[in-house]
Every structure is written in structure tokens, then in C-alpha cells.
Amino acid sequence: MRKKIVAGNWKMNKNLQEGLALAEELNVMLAAEKPACDVVIGTPFIHLAKVSEVIDHKLIGLSAQNCADKASGAFTGEVSAEMVKSTGAEYVILGHSERRMYYHETYEILKEKVLLAIANGLKVIFCIGESEEERDKSIQNQVVKAELEGSVFNLSAEEFKNIIIAYEPIWAIGTGKTATSGQAEEIHAYIRSVIAEKYGKQIAEDTTILYGGSCKPSNAGELFSKPDIDGGLIGGASLKAADFKGIIDAWKK
Ligand code: 13P
């Protein structure tokens, strides 16, 4: 059975004190009322080690938002997958469209990052999704397939079990313009079919596919009601404990 997950991507928000306060608040909320899904928070690098100490890892998984494409050495300013793992984090978000766009992360670079993350025992939340222009041209399926083929379909079946997919249409990120649940379900089902072609039906059935892009408490229930939508990767609404909890609670309805 595949896991249901609600994951927060804090992006470049919250200083250390604010981040710790948010993690603690969420931990208290979820300890009082157990979630019906797995919950993950993706914090900036510098928060990881301290946040790791204040959360109950049975309630909240911890994720980085990136890792280096090299194992170690003279790469000033970089943070390796091994370092991420050593903080107590269990996950890393890779392939986010913001990293592909602003930091020019190519399929090849991401392939290296994914391999290093898995080799160091991290689960990868691998983001894919088309731009508005690509959707207007109705090539969204080709785009997500190429992203999978370019960076994760080199993995063995055993390695691929560490991949969680996050479908995030770029036009829906931070815009308030959510994909309709129908649009999201259609492409999630397509993504699952592509995984099935590559790794077989069972692995495809067991792969968690999250939706991301202006997901909030008011639309999470409708999105999560679809058979191929297994949760969300949440940006803006993960920065307030009450909003994030509202999305987590969508799995209880
Ligand atoms: P928003 O929820 O702010 O649209 O961001 C989605 C996202 O990019 C999560 O990775």
C-alpha cells in the first residue's frame, strides 16, 4: 500500500528561531491529534539539525530542500547528501522547478543528486511539472515523462522504491491558481502509467504521487479524494501551523 503524505516545503522562509517555533508548534498539534497521513517538513539546511531535535520523528519526517551533486570535497558552499542525512533528516526534495529555473539544474545534475541521496539512505521527493506555455501547447505529458526519464528512470527497481513523486505544475506554484482536481488526477494517472511501463504495475501502485501548487485547506480535500493523488507538497500554506494542519486533516474526511 502506498503512503499518503503531506509535505511542507518552507523554501527560503523563516530564520532559525522562527523555524524552530513552527516545528515545535506543529509537533505539539500532531502529538495531541494524530495525523491520518505521514507528515514531512522541508526546512532550509541550517535548520535541519536543530529541528531534528525538537520533533518526534514518528510524527514528523524531516526533509532538506536540496543536496549537492558531488559526494564531498572542494565544493565551497555546498551541502552533501551525507551531511543532510547526518542531521537526522530522512528526506530530500530534489528537482523543484525553482531550482531547475533559477539554479539551472539539468536532468544530468539531478540524476547525480538523486543517486547520492539514495546511496546515503535518504528518500527523495522528486518534483516534476510543466510550465504554463507547455500546458497551453498540451505537451505536459511529454514534459513530465522526459523529467522522469532524464533523472530517475536510470534507478534500479529497488532504488526507485525510495522515490516519492511530486507533480507541481509551474503555473500553479505560488500563484493561487490550483490545478483542478480533474486536471491533476489526469496527469497523476498518466505519471503512474509511465512508472508502470518502466518498473511494472506493483511498483507503480506503491509509488506515492503528491500534488503541489497553491494547495490549501479549502482545496486539499477535493484534490486528495482522487485515486491517484496521494497527498501534497505544500509551499505557502506550510508556513503557518494551522493552515498546514488544515491540509493534513483533509485526510480525515
Ligand atoms: P505553493 O503551495 O506556495 O504554491 O508552492 C508549492 C510548491 O512549490 C511546493 O514545493
Side-chain angles (χ1 to χ4, degrees):
M1 261 292 281
R2 59 188 181 248
K3 286 191 165 166
K4 301 174 182 120
I5 302 175
V6 172
N9 175 8
W10 292 2
K11 308 192 180 182
M12 196 172 73
N13 294 292
K14 306 278 178 198
N15 67 27
L16 181 57
Q17 290 72 32
E18 292 164 347
L20 276 171
L22 175 58
E24 279 177 324
E25 189 183 357
L26 194 63
N27 198 71
V28 169
M29 275 181 167
L30 297 181
E33 200 192 322
K34 295 271 178 310
C37 61
D38 285 7
V39 175
V40 176
I41 52 175
T43 79
F45 284 134
I46 62 139
H47 298 48
L48 290 172
K50 281 218 165 188
V51 168
S52 183
E53 286 170 8
V54 303
I55 57 172
D56 175 352
H57 287 255
K58 288 196 283 299
L59 284 177
I60 303 176
L62 184 59
S63 181
Q65 301 171 15
N66 183 25
C67 70
D69 61 339
K70 304 286 192 303
S72 67
F75 301 101
T76 303
E78 288 295 295
V79 175
S80 70
E82 185 190 355
M83 293 173 190
V84 168
K85 178 72 179 176
S86 72
T87 66
E90 298 97 349
Y91 299 82
V92 59
I93 298 167
L94 291 175
H96 196 283
S97 56
E98 289 153 14
R99 299 232 35 110
R100 293 179 193 261
M101 263 190 297
Y102 307 141
Y103 302 98
H104 314 293
E105 294 193 358
T106 61
Y107 294 172
E108 274 305 309
I109 291 172
L110 290 170
K111 192 180 187 175
E112 295 304 317
K113 292 188 177 197
V114 168
L115 283 169
L116 284 162
I118 293 176
N120 283 284
L122 293 166
K123 291 195 184 302
V124 175
I125 301 175
F126 188 73
C127 305
I128 57 177
E130 80 287 356
S131 65
E132 183 150 44
E133 197 187 349
E134 289 161 342
R135 180 156 284 258
D136 287 345
K137 288 193 214 144
S138 299
I139 57 167
Q140 63 271 18
N141 286 6
Q142 287 99 302
V143 171
V144 296
K145 188 176 188 203
E147 287 175 328
L148 292 170
E149 288 175 344
S151 308
V152 294
F153 277 3
N154 57 300
L155 298 173
S156 69
E158 214 37 55
E159 288 168 332
F160 189 80
K161 290 179 184 166
N162 295 298
I163 300 283
I164 293 151
I165 302 292
Y167 167 67
E168 300 205 308
I170 296 167
W171 48 270
I173 296 176
T175 58
K177 212 159 121 186
T178 322
T180 65
S181 58
Q183 280 173 323
E185 169 58 21
E186 191 180 1
I187 192 155
H188 278 229
Y190 171 74
I191 292 164
R192 204 178 300 286
S193 76
V194 172
I195 296 169
E197 269 171 38
K198 172 72 190 171
Y199 291 106
K201 199 163 168 30
Q202 191 55 51
I203 287 183
E205 278 303 312
D206 291 344
T207 302
T208 297
I209 308 179
L210 308 178
Y211 168 79
S214 299
C215 186
K216 41 189 183 259
S218 59
N219 59 26
E222 167 64 20
L223 285 159
F224 298 172
S225 71
K226 298 293 178 190
D228 289 295
I229 302 180
D230 308 313
L233 180 57
I234 320 299
S238 72
L239 297 173
K240 286 203 185 116
D243 289 348
F244 194 50
K245 171 83 163 32
I247 297 173
I248 293 165
D249 287 348
W251 280 118
K252 292 200 168 156
K253 288 171 192 139

